[in-house]
Amino acid sequence: MDKERIKKAVKEILIAIGEDPEREGLIDTPRRIADMYEEIFSGLKQDPGEHLKVFFQAEEHEELVIVKDIPFYSMCEHHFAPFVGKAHVGYLPKGGRLTGLSKLARVVETVAKRPQLQERITTTVADTIMEKLQPYGVIVIVEAEHMCMSMRGVKKPGSKTVTSAVRGVFKNDQKSRAEAMSLILGR
C-alpha cells in the first residue's frame, strides 16, 4: 500500500473541499486516513480460501453447519462510503470435510476488506467455500446498511440490503434450502 501517495491525495481532497490541511485538527488527517486504508483494505492482498485449508476429515458429520450474525464492515466501491452488516454462512459438509467455525468468519472478513459490492461479498464467500471444502452445498446471506444510501442520495438511514448466494443442494433442493433459511432467519 502506497501510504505516502494516499496522504498526498487526502491533502488534495482537503484543499479541494475548501479546507486548510494545515489547520490543527486536520494536520494529521492524511496520515490517519492512510493508516486506516491500510487496515480496512488489507483483504486486497489476501486469498480468502487460505483460511479454509484446515479441515477435519476424521469426523463423519454430514449435517448442516451454520455460523450466524458474523459482523463485517466494508467500503462501497462506488462512493468509498462504508457499509456495515452481518453475514450468515452455512454449508452441508461432504465426507466429513469440516472447517473451524472461525475460518468461516475469516473468509467473510477477508472478502469484505476491499473496495467492494455487497453482492460480490456474498458470491465470493459462497464460491470460496464451495471450491475449498467441496461440500454438498453452501448458503450465504448478507444484510447490511449502506452509508451511501443513509447519508447521501436518498438519505434512508436504517434501510438494509439483503443478498443471498446458494450453491449445490441448497440451489436444487427446496427442502434443504427451507431448513437452512429457517435456521438463519429464526423462523
Side-chain angles (χ1 to χ4, degrees):
M1 181 124 353
D2 188 344
K3 289 170 67 171
E4 287 304 314
R5 193 169 182 181
I6 293 169
K7 290 193 288 191
K8 289 177 187 172
V10 170
K11 189 172 182 177
E12 284 300 313
I13 290 170
L14 290 170
I15 293 167
I17 66 169
E19 263 292 358
D20 175 9
E22 301 304 318
R23 183 168 63 81
E24 183 181 352
L26 294 175
I27 196 125
D28 284 334
T29 297
R31 179 195 51 77
R32 286 190 293 266
I33 289 176
D35 291 345
M36 177 186 68
Y37 278 7
E38 182 177 50
E39 179 182 341
I40 66 175
F41 295 131
S42 63
L44 280 167
K45 302 267 192 260
Q46 296 178 4
D47 172 8
E50 291 294 313
H51 300 296
L52 296 176
K53 283 188 172 181
V54 175
F55 49 89
F56 314 98
Q57 286 202 252
E59 299 296 322
E60 288 304 316
H61 185 83
E62 289 194 348
E63 301 294 331
L64 188 55
V65 176
I66 296 176
V67 179
K68 291 174 45 168
D69 299 325
I70 301 167
F72 77 92
Y73 58 87
S74 193
M75 291 286 270
C76 163
E77 67 182 35
H78 296 142
H79 303 99
F80 258 51
F83 61 100
V84 179
K86 55 188 173 180
H88 315 287
V89 179
Y91 73 105
L92 190 57
K94 184 188 321 181
R97 292 172 60 94
L98 298 172
T99 190
L101 300 176
S102 68
K103 306 301 185 199
L104 299 173
R106 289 186 192 284
V107 170
V108 171
E109 181 178 87
T110 299
V111 174
K113 285 190 168 186
R114 306 169 181 183
Q116 201 51 285
L117 298 173
Q118 180 174 330
E119 297 87 342
R120 188 181 306 124
I121 291 172
T122 311
T123 299
T124 303
V125 170
D127 290 343
T128 300
I129 294 167
M130 277 301 286
E131 177 189 330
K132 295 295 184 178
L133 296 182
Q134 300 172 357
Y136 289 114
V138 172
I139 186 166
V140 177
I141 298 173
V142 174
E143 46 189 308
E145 181 175 358
H146 293 249
M147 292 303 110
C148 58
M149 277 188 57
S150 298
M151 296 173 50
R152 56 158 304 281
V154 297
K155 295 182 183 81
K156 299 297 178 201
S159 62
K160 294 241 185 339
T161 300
V162 179
T163 52
S164 69
V166 291
R167 304 289 184 267
V169 70
F170 298 115
K171 189 170 192 166
N172 303 318
D173 179 1
Q174 282 294 22
K175 187 176 174 186
S176 295
R177 185 176 184 160
E179 176 189 8
M181 291 296 285
S182 71
L183 290 170
I184 289 170
L185 300 175
R187 295 183 186 148

